[in-house]
């Protein structure tokens, strides 16, 4: 095999190590989401696939096309690398804070893009840069979407699927009533948001569609066609899966739904993957007289075997600042106090207390969770719950658990402005967030409150994350990653135009009590 001319490649091991470190940083940051959230579990497969696509494209690039970048390009590339390395400490400090905005994952992804592009430019100029474009775009598909965007997309998809099934079921002779995201059957209720995880199929379709296009080396028009087919197939399979669960529920109730839930889910996923890759395979048929390109030299021959002083220094600085961010939190956590639940549920004759359903336990992963029901004389019963999470870094996801987010899936729509109500529990004044709702002429009042490490949370609806902006600097300054989180909520139904303020206070004081 012919050796490469020495002036045809300039990628040293320092640039390789720096790029690999940033890719590894992104994987470490996304790993908790891939493990805790089934909608993101594909990241474990697709992240190494993105690295494989990058290595394959670089290996297929002819070394004769590599060239030395101009001085201005080199300065811009080194400036990009320096900027990315300087961002490691503040971004990692902010990412480790308990608020855990997903925007930090996208910030790390942006730094990965900067480092990869800069390293490519220093290696072989624009020709190598073109080889990194698709792998970087594909890598974006494994980064979890922002919570606010994902919730809106999920709710919109769920409501549309439910509405579509509302038109299909009568044609099949199935008696059903649609209430928000629920299909009410004579034997049970099918919740589309739980029974048919539409967002998972949608994300999977995007990832698999992009992967199929690259795997079969399709041209861009065919890749777009495969992606459109992937999304359409995902929606079709979602409708089919929910229809199957509805038929099972009609015949055997909730027990039948539970027995086929996972089976239908895996079947839909297998059909989705098979349908996408079959489409890619059919579109990849090449003419018989096509000429294969000359094989490129082995990838390992593209390196000089040396590490430049600048690249090595940037790599060492990036690693040291990353470790410093973690040491900052570890040093403070050694002396963190242990917090206990602030509220407790009263066990009275008029109160029914039950544990969370298995589906909610799996979703919420609370250390302690209780459903409560209070029967008031002459009034509709009041329902509520109390949740508590022990100190853990994973609790950052629970900061986005707000009861009002789930109300539209039950068919409830806001019926007035929100306000706050202060209720005294065992001498402790607690501020409750109050929101009126309406559904089919019925009214209801939602009251809920939350504490982080026994400190009341103040939410601001003007922020997409609903978390006060100044809490981030507070957590960084305190060096806290582990915290307890507690949520209590009740729903008080009523029928007249006036909000049942007095009855709501009585319900809260009857259901809950503050620990002395």
């Amino acid at each position: 095999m012919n050796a490469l001319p020495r002036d045809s490649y300039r990628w040293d091991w320092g640039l390789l190590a720096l790029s690999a470190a940033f890719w590894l940083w992104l994987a470490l940051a996304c790993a908790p989401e891939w493990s805790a959230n089934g909608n993101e579990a594909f990241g474990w497969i697709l992240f190494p696939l993105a690295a494989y696509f990058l290595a394959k494209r670089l290996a297929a690039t002819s070394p004769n096309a590599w060239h030395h970048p101009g001085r201005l390009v080199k300065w811009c590339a080194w400036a990009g690398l320096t900027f990315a390395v300087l961002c490691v400490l503040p971004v990692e400090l902010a990412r480790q804070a308990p608020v855990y905005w997903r925007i930090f994952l996208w910030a790390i992804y942006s730094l990965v893009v900067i480092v990869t592009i800069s390293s490519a430019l220093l290696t072989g100029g624009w020709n190598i840069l073109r080889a990194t474009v698709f792998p970087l775009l594909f890598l974006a598909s494994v980064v979890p979407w922002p919570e606010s965007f994902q919730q809106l997309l999920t709710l919109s998809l769920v409501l549309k699927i439910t509405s579509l099934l509302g038109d299909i079921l009568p044609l099949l002779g199935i008696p059903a009533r649609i209430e928000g995201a629920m299909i009410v059957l004579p034997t049970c209720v099918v919740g589309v948001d739980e029974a048919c995880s539409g967002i998972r199929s949608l994300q999977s379709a995007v990832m698999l569609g992009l992967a199929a296009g690259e795997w079969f080396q399709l041209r861009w028009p065919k890749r777009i066609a495969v992606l459109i087919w992937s999304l359409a197939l995902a929606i079709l399979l979602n409708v089919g899966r929910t229809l199957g669960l509805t038929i099972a529920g009609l015949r055997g109730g909730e027990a039948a739904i539970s027995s086929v839930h996972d089976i239908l889910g895996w079947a839909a996923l297998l059909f989705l993957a098979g349908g996408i890759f079959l489409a890619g395979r059919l579109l990849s048929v090449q003419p018989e007289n096509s000429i294969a390109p000359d094989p490129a030299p082995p990838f390992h021959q593209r390196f000089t075997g040396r590490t430049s002083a600048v690249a090595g220094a940037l790599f060492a600085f990036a690693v040291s600042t990353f470790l410093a961010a973690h040491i900052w939190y570890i040093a403070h956590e050694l002396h963190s106090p242990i917090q206990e639940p602030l509220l407790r549920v009263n066990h009275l004759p008029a109160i029914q207390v039950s544990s969370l359903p298995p589906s909610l336990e799996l979703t919420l992963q609370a250390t302690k969770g209780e459903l409560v029901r209070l029967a008031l004389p002459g009034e509709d019963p009041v329902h509520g719950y109390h949740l508590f999470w022990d100190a853990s870094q994973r609790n950052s996801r629970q900061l986005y658990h707000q009861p009002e987010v789930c109300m539209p899936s039950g068919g409830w729509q806001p019926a007035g402005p929100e306000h706050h109500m202060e209720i005294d529990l065992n001498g402790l004044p607690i501020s409750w967030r109050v929101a009126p709702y309406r559904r089919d002429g019925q009214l209801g009042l939602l009251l809920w409150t939350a504490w982080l490490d026994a400190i009341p949370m103040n939410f601001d609806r003007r922020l997409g994350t609903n978390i006060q902006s100044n809490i981030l600097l507070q957590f960084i300054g305190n060096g806290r990653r582990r915290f307890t989180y507690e949520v209590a909520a009740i729903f008080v139904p009523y029928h007249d135009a006036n909000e049942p303020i007095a009855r709501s206070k009585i319900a809260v004081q009857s259901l809950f009590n503050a620990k002395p």
Side-chain angles (χ1 to χ4, degrees), residues 385 400-408 437 446-449 487-489:
Y385 61 82
Y400 305 99
H401 172 75
Q402 300 182 37
E404 59 193 20
V405 174
C406 304
M407 296 300 291
Y437 285 88
L446 174 67
L447 288 80
W448 70 283
T449 188
V487 179

Side-chain angles (χ1 to χ4, degrees), residues 78 82 307-315:
W78 283 116
T82 304
T307 300
S308 67
V310 178
L314 290 176
F315 171 76

Side-chain angles (χ1 to χ4, degrees), residues 126 397 505:
W126 302 108
R397 288 184 52 83
K505 289 185 176 181

Side-chain angles (χ1 to χ4, degrees), residues 1 23 48 80 87 127 160 202 211 220 270 281 285 290 328 388 406 466-467 492:
M1 184 174 294
W23 278 63
C87 288
N127 295 296
K160 288 184 181 300
L202 194 65
W220 284 107
L270 292 176
R281 181 67 183 88
V285 176
S290 60
W328 170 261
F388 180 78
C406 304
N466 295 325
I467 304 294
V492 183

Side-chain angles (χ1 to χ4, degrees), residues 45 49 211 239 276 356:
I45 300 175
L49 193 59
V239 175
I276 291 173
L356 297 178

Side-chain angles (χ1 to χ4, degrees), residues 313-354:
L314 290 176
F315 171 76
F317 186 80
V319 173
S320 61
T321 53
F322 175 85
L323 296 176
H326 285 258
I327 292 173
W328 170 261
Y329 286 107
I330 293 174
H332 286 78
E333 289 170 354
L334 294 176
H335 307 287
S336 299
I338 299 177
Q339 299 290 345
E340 296 292 337
L342 185 65
L343 292 188
R344 60 184 176 187
V345 175
N346 292 323
H347 292 263
L348 301 174
I351 298 176
Q352 296 180 4
V353 182
S354 59

Side-chain angles (χ1 to χ4, degrees), residues 451-497:
W451 297 270
L452 189 153
D453 276 343
I455 300 175
M457 293 292 296
N458 295 316
F459 294 93
D460 186 352
R461 289 187 61 83
R462 295 172 299 175
L463 301 176
T465 55
N466 295 325
I467 304 294
Q468 292 287 359
S469 58
N470 60 357
I471 198 174
L472 176 63
L473 295 178
Q474 175 185 338
F475 279 126
I476 294 176
N478 294 336
R480 295 294 304 275
R481 291 181 300 185
R482 297 164 51 86
F483 66 94
T484 61
Y485 194 58
E486 186 172 4
V487 179
I490 67 168
F491 188 73
V492 183
Y494 64 103
H495 302 279
D496 53 23

Side-chain angles (χ1 to χ4, degrees), residues 216-237:
F216 294 108
Q217 292 293 294
L218 302 180
R219 295 185 179 275
W220 284 107
K222 292 185 177 180
R223 293 188 186 215
I224 294 174
V226 170
L227 191 58
I228 294 175
W229 161 250
S230 303
L231 295 174
L233 183 60
I235 295 175
L236 180 63
L237 289 173

